[in-house]
Amino acid sequence: MGSSFSNVINHGIECDLLDELRENTRQFFKLPVEEKQNYARGPNEIEGYGNDMVLYQNQTLDWTDRIYLLVHPEDNRKLHYWPRNPKSFRALGLSEDSFLNQYGDKPTMYTRFNFYPSCPKPDLVQGLKPHSDGSAITILLPDEEVEGLQFLIDDQWVRIRINPHALLVNVGNQMEMMSTGILKSPIHRVTTNTDKERISVAMFCAPGTAEDVGPVEELINDTRPRLYKTVKDYPAIYFKYYQLGKRPIEAVKLY
Ligand SMILES: O=C(O)CCC(=O)C(=O)O
Ligand SMILES: [Fe+2]
């Protein structure tokens, strides 16, 4: 089976709401740095405003600015990281259960708002380095006008064309693990533009970190082996490997 992602068009979410989400994302990144810094990621935190944590010398950095928020479970939200400005940010459809209400007992959903400034040297630096997502499923709302997202398919980078009304659904590492490789989490990256900035909003959905995540027993048989370990808190493994430039899913492969 090839890489697993698809553009979903009839998703039932109002286009106006998606446009509003993009508009709020743009407005947030246009705020003065001092105001955005009010939501700055604390040391050793993954949530908040800012770029990658720098953990290693020679770590590849991305040409992007972002804010990353835990949305589910609701009780664990850290609201001091949630922008007060633009005003409607906190009230957005994000706070509804539209994506996750059938997703187990205590699933997690993080939302990452990405801003890629125009870049004078797009051949030297990427907006987001090649990776596959650590989620089970990612729902991505890309920029409605500026391209940049590319998937690695058969060793070729394939660009995703703009479809302003589509949500892109992407399989993450945890779905690859649970499906024992039937669904593969594709490698993707974001390129930059010399004269255009770009935004996107990525919602990462996954089982709760206290859950055991690994191949579903019913899928294992003589021809389909158990390819992955069963682990708790895969995101912790993911973050450690990712910034080293290694493929995190390698850490949980059995062979
Ligand atoms: O900006 C995009 O289109 C993709 C973002 C992405 O891959 C991510 O945040 O993991
Ligand atoms: Fe991604």
Side-chain angles (χ1 to χ4, degrees):
M1 178 128 194
S3 291
S4 306
F5 64 90
S6 58
N7 253 345
V8 177
I9 304 165
N10 297 315
H11 42 66
I13 301 172
E14 298 277 334
C15 293
D16 285 358
L17 181 65
L18 299 182
D19 289 341
E20 194 190 344
L21 180 52
R22 281 191 276 243
E23 194 43 44
N24 276 274
T25 304
R26 285 201 182 90
Q27 281 182 22
F28 172 75
F29 288 108
K30 280 201 189 116
L31 294 173
V33 178
E34 306 80 62
E35 186 166 354
K36 289 184 284 195
Q37 286 297 352
N38 291 333
Y39 311 103
R41 180 167 56 67
N44 300 322
E45 292 261 330
I46 59 167
E47 278 183 80
Y49 166 72
N51 204 320
D52 288 341
M53 239 184 279
V54 178
L55 300 176
Y56 310 102
Q57 244 181 344
N58 304 329
Q59 180 178 326
T60 309
L61 294 180
D62 300 316
W63 189 265
T64 184
D65 209 10
R66 56 173 85 109
I67 179 162
Y68 193 47
L69 301 171
L70 177 92
V71 180
H72 283 273
E74 225 173 300
D75 299 349
N76 299 356
R77 286 184 191 173
K78 294 183 180 152
L79 282 176
H80 57 280
Y81 285 132
W82 289 54
R84 266 177 227 99
N85 195 359
K87 287 255 172 337
S88 53
F89 197 102
R90 290 181 175 206
L92 280 175
L94 285 179
S95 42
E96 291 171 12
D97 275 353
S98 37
F99 294 113
L100 270 183
N101 52 9
Q102 289 173 40
Y103 207 76
D105 238 17
K106 266 223 155 182
T108 52
M109 180 167 117
Y110 279 97
T111 299
R112 186 151 84 182
F113 301 79
N114 296 309
F115 176 71
Y116 307 95
S118 57
C119 176
K121 299 238 182 271
D123 41 339
L124 291 185
V125 62
Q126 301 189 14
L128 191 51
K129 55 183 170 281
H131 66 284
S132 53
D133 294 342
S135 57
I137 289 283
T138 305
I139 300 167
L140 182 81
L141 177 69
D143 199 287
E144 72 277 50
E145 278 173 7
V146 182
E147 278 184 9
L149 178 61
Q150 301 182 336
F151 280 84
L152 190 62
I153 299 170
D154 298 333
D155 294 328
Q156 304 269 359
W157 287 109
V158 176
R159 57 186 245 263
I160 300 298
R161 286 170 197 280
I162 301 281
N163 181 337
H165 303 305
L167 290 170
L168 192 128
V169 176
N170 185 23
V171 165
N173 291 170
Q174 295 187 65
M175 184 63 79
E176 179 166 339
M177 289 154 64
M178 291 189 281
S179 72
T180 193
I182 297 175
L183 294 166
K184 300 238 179 339
S185 47
I187 297 185
H188 52 287
R189 68 177 185 184
V190 178
T191 56
T192 51
N193 294 284
T194 36
D195 51 355
K196 287 183 214 136
E197 58 190 41
R198 179 175 180 275
I199 54 137
S200 69
V201 182
M203 296 167 221
F204 302 101
C205 307
T209 50
E211 305 295 327
D212 283 325
V213 173
V216 171
E217 292 303 326
E218 294 77 55
L219 293 176
I220 311 286
N221 59 34
D222 294 346
T223 56
R224 196 186 299 120
R226 180 188 303 277
L227 294 180
Y228 300 99
K229 296 178 198 164
T230 295
V231 296
K232 286 193 207 303
D233 200 5
Y234 179 73
I237 299 171
Y238 184 90
F239 278 104
K240 198 165 129 209
Y241 269 64
Y242 175 74
Q243 297 301 6
L244 282 167
K246 294 189 189 165
R247 282 208 72 196
I249 200 163
E250 298 294 331
V252 294
K253 275 195 178 150
L254 283 171
Y255 311 103

